[in-house]
Amino acid sequence: MTDRPWTAFYRPGARTDIDAPAYRNLGDLIGSVAQTFGKAPAFTCCLPNGMNGTLTFAQADEMSDALAVYLREVAGLNAGDRVAVQMPNSLSFPVAAFGILKAGCIIVNVNPLYTAEEMAKQFEDAEPHALIIADMFADKVTAATRGHPIPNIIVTRVAEFLPAMPRGIVGLVQKHWDRTVKPIEIAHIRLPDALQAGRTHRDTETIEVEKYHQNVDADDVAVLQYTGGTTGVSKGAMLTHRNLVVNMEQTMELIEGLEKGREVALTVLPLYHIFAFTVNLLGFYWLGARNILIPNPRPLTNLKRAFENYKITWMSGVNTLFNGLTNEIWFLDTPPKHLKFASAGGMALQASVAKRWEEITGKPVIQGYGLTETSPCLTFEPLGKARAGSIGVPVPSTLVAIMDEDGNPLPPGETGEIAAKGPQIMKGYWRKPEETAKVMAGDYFLTGDIGIMEPDGYIRIVDRKKDMVVVSGFNVYPNEVEDVLVTHPGVDEAAVIGVPDDATGEAVKAFVVLKDKSVTSDALRAFCKEHLTPYKVPKRVEFRDELPKSNVGKILRKDLRAEELAQIAAE
């Protein structure tokens, strides 16, 4: 690769190039790691009351073997067939994901909170041959598969594979107390029964599971990860085995202080989210870590017993998670003692949140950056070398350029669109070559984010290209305004969008959640005037009790824009 000054910031001994995956495919990786760590705990599902269950590496390997046999021999799937997975973090997730990969099939990750209509759109596009779904969401399947049926439905539970007593208690609560589990009207098989059917077939036919993925190549698709991407249309990013194995290694290569077989990772982000899938599920499995899975982190007190009962050495999250934890009394009273560092992604990490987190825990939050289409990691902050407002430097084997509107590279210090190329870039969008073409400039993937690169390779994101507000011809980046607002002692959260304005074309509007209800909009605007040039100061401020967020806690500016435009249209 060409000159990459940023490699000077890599940890001592770190590889600068990781183009070839360490494993031919993920099925090989899963089996190899299980042989290394065997009876060590791999996954622990921790419920809010502390009830838990654990699978060892050997158990997860055996169960996923059984599922692979069921999918191929009983359900009749072939290599390359799609299998949708729709469940929260639980012990079923790694069993399902690993079983699908061992079967030589493709995982289609589905957000369990989707409505039947949203599920239908994804199913129609991906055309899965099987669906593995948690029982609390299964009542939506009938409506979601109308017109495009899925022949094989496998139903699991959040408490699957926990000991009998907690599993039974959770089942009773869900069925009779909070009634989150409704009668399942579709033909289905329970996951434990599917595993048993697979075992029976494997043992009677003496099947070697490795045969299912022995011809799976590094450049074959492993996961269809759906995203709005940079153009707003929902589409499946085709992530290959090479993309995921290499990106897992690229990320782990830059993280200092991790010890194989000794880490305890807290997984709060849902595993169907690409960051948690690549780094938490695959990366920490490869590292031999114990992965503490949290089915639902809301409210944040749901994390209390996990922090109390396990020696958490690493965790990942988004800005809102770290901000929320630093406002929890129980977390302030007993911050984690064994934490080495935390990792942030998914949305911009605000400087005030990062500072407060480090003051409370004594450990930094290091920020990574990437997109679904990049598997996801493109850049990472070197430990101990973070810079305020930066997303770090490109990971090994990755080139990042800042481009102008015509696709020409800009010199350091200039503002433009962040573009990247490397072995982690997706194969393309599933069945959408036109959409794929829109996000490629030669070999470079266009991220849709606006950023600046310093001469030594550190990168700073200014904002999303589509979120930029243009006030009288001047560009205003919401992140910059939000960063100022949240430093006000009376503000908890803030989101900024552009709204139509007769005088300036667009005006800046802020939506604010207050800690101190006595704070006024005039006071906030005055505060902003002390830190921002006048055209960046919010013209309007609206107070909210809460802001719309995605399932991973990312504030959804698009929802606020949609509300605003609907209100304008109604008026």
Side-chain angles (χ1 to χ4, degrees):
M1 283 192 167
T2 58
D3 183 45
R4 292 170 287 167
W6 53 80
T7 60
F9 300 105
Y10 289 3
R11 66 174 177 81
R15 292 174 291 170
T16 58
D17 290 290
I18 310 174
D19 288 307
Y23 300 88
R24 184 169 47 95
N25 59 55
L26 288 163
D28 288 352
L29 180 153
I30 294 159
S32 175
V33 170
Q35 288 181 359
T36 301
F37 295 103
K39 295 182 180 180
F43 300 100
T44 295
C45 180
C46 181
L47 302 179
N49 59 8
M51 291 192 297
N52 64 86
T54 295
L55 295 181
T56 66
F57 285 87
Q59 287 173 318
D61 189 47
E62 188 279 330
M63 288 179 172
S64 55
D65 273 357
L67 180 61
V69 176
Y70 175 83
L71 292 172
R72 293 298 296 266
E73 306 297 337
V74 182
L77 273 65
N78 296 309
D81 284 348
R82 277 82 59 208
V83 181
V85 177
Q86 191 170 12
M87 66 181 80
N89 291 355
S90 62
L91 297 179
S92 298
F93 198 103
V95 171
F98 292 175
I100 295 165
L101 293 167
K102 286 180 176 180
C105 297
I106 297 171
I107 299 170
V108 181
N109 279 318
V110 184
N111 183 341
L113 300 181
Y114 269 1
T115 64
E117 182 179 350
E118 290 169 319
M119 290 164 61
K121 289 178 181 176
Q122 190 166 335
F123 293 159
E124 183 179 12
D125 190 65
E127 294 183 332
H129 297 75
L131 166 66
I132 307 175
I133 187 169
D135 54 4
M136 57 198 299
F137 310 111
D139 61 304
K140 297 181 282 190
V141 173
T142 300
T145 56
R146 194 172 290 124
H148 36 84
I150 300 175
N152 301 284
I153 308 292
I154 303 170
V155 176
T156 187
R157 298 175 284 185
V158 171
E160 204 81 86
F161 309 128
L162 266 64
M165 183 175 290
R167 189 171 68 244
I169 292 172
V170 172
L172 288 171
V173 168
Q174 288 185 314
K175 189 172 182 180
H176 300 291
W177 181 257
D178 57 22
R179 298 185 180 180
T180 54
V181 175
K182 300 176 177 63
I184 302 172
E185 300 174 352
I186 53 170
H188 66 280
I189 185 172
R190 291 280 177 174
L191 180 58
D193 296 330
L195 298 188
Q196 192 54 48
R199 291 186 183 106
T200 300
H201 212 95
R202 178 190 62 196
D203 296 341
T204 56
E205 302 292 333
T206 60
I207 293 171
E208 294 184 2
V209 175
E210 290 76 15
K211 73 174 186 177
Y212 298 138
H213 57 86
Q214 66 182 3
N215 294 320
V216 173
D217 185 71
D219 292 318
D220 288 336
V221 178
V223 176
L224 278 189
Q225 193 76 22
Y226 276 76
T227 173
T230 62
T231 58
V233 180
S234 181
K235 46 203 172 288
M238 295 186 288
L239 303 182
T240 67
H241 292 265
R242 181 191 305 276
N243 290 157
L244 293 164
V245 175
V246 168
N247 196 236
M248 176 199 79
E249 291 189 82
Q250 288 171 318
T251 307
M252 292 295 174
E253 192 71 22
L254 298 190
I255 302 177
E256 296 184 52
L258 295 180
E259 301 175 78
K260 279 208 164 188
R262 300 180 64 86
E263 303 300 329
V264 181
L266 180 66
T267 298
V268 181
L269 291 174
L271 289 171
Y272 59 82
H273 185 275
I274 188 57
F275 183 88
F277 188 91
T278 300
V279 179
N280 293 53
L281 179 64
L282 299 179
F284 278 88
Y285 178 84
W286 172 75
L287 198 65
R290 185 176 191 174
N291 211 321
I292 311 301
L293 306 177
I294 305 298
N296 182 9
R298 298 171 183 161
L300 288 177
T301 50
N302 285 1
L303 305 180
K304 186 171 184 289
R305 294 299 294 272
F307 278 111
E308 290 174 348
N309 296 345
Y310 306 99
K311 296 178 179 179
I312 307 298
T313 62
W314 183 91
M315 66 175 290
S316 60
V318 294
N319 185 80
T320 47
L321 172 69
F322 297 116
N323 182 45
L325 283 173
T326 59
N327 289 306
E328 291 283 327
I329 298 300
W330 60 267
F331 189 83
L332 295 171
D333 288 343
T334 55
K337 298 177 181 178
H338 304 278
L339 193 68
K340 294 180 177 180
F341 59 89
S343 178
M347 65 182 293
L349 176 68
Q350 292 169 337
S352 59
V353 173
K355 181 181 178 183
R356 192 159 69 245
W357 176 270
E358 189 162 358
E359 288 172 351
I360 292 166
T361 66
K363 302 296 179 180
V365 183
I366 58 176
Q367 188 167 197
Y369 164 73
L371 298 91
T372 298
E373 293 90 339
T374 62
S375 303
C377 198
L378 287 174
T379 73
F380 216 72
E381 284 186 312
L383 193 63
K385 301 167 187 173
R387 295 181 187 174
S390 169
I391 54 170
V393 299
V395 297
S397 289
T398 303
L399 290 178
V400 173
I402 307 299
M403 293 190 173
D404 64 18
E405 292 288 340
D406 297 319
N408 300 311
L410 292 168
E414 293 288 320
T415 300
E417 184 169 3
I418 299 173
K421 70 175 180 178
Q424 70 271 53
I425 305 298
M426 67 171 181
K427 194 171 188 175
Y429 292 122
W430 172 255
R431 295 174 175 171
K432 288 182 171 61
E434 301 86 0
E435 292 292 329
T436 302
K438 290 178 184 177
V439 297
M440 299 303 297
D443 294 336
Y444 278 85
F445 170 77
L446 301 172
T447 68
D449 287 319
I450 303 298
I452 300 170
M453 179 182 281
E454 297 175 25
D456 59 7
Y458 272 79
I459 301 166
R460 180 163 54 87
I461 287 185
V462 179
D463 222 312
R464 288 292 293 170
K465 190 174 183 179
K466 62 186 178 184
D467 286 344
M468 185 175 69
V469 185
V470 182
V471 179
S472 297
F474 293 99
N475 294 343
V476 179
Y477 299 102
N479 278 344
E480 183 182 9
V481 184
E482 290 165 358
D483 284 346
V484 170
L485 284 166
V486 297
T487 61
H488 189 288
V491 172
D492 185 25
E493 293 180 329
V496 165
I497 65 169
V499 295
D501 186 89
D502 291 338
T504 57
E506 280 190 298
V508 177
K509 180 172 181 178
F511 296 83
V512 175
V513 178
L514 292 174
K515 294 177 186 175
D516 179 358
K517 302 298 182 184
S518 67
V519 175
T520 65
S521 58
D522 287 342
L524 281 184
R525 293 186 73 253
F527 179 79
C528 288
K529 286 177 182 177
E530 297 175 13
H531 303 277
L532 296 168
T533 192
Y535 68 84
K536 296 180 182 179
V537 173
K539 189 172 184 178
R540 308 171 205 170
V541 177
E542 181 178 324
F543 296 116
R544 294 279 185 99
D545 292 330
E546 60 181 4
L547 298 176
K549 296 184 178 73
S550 71
N551 52 296
V552 298
K554 182 178 180 179
I555 294 172
L556 297 173
R557 293 179 189 146
K558 66 180 179 65
D559 287 6
L560 294 170
R561 277 197 299 271
E563 288 179 34
E564 194 72 18
L565 292 174
Q567 184 176 334
I568 291 169
E571 293 173 351

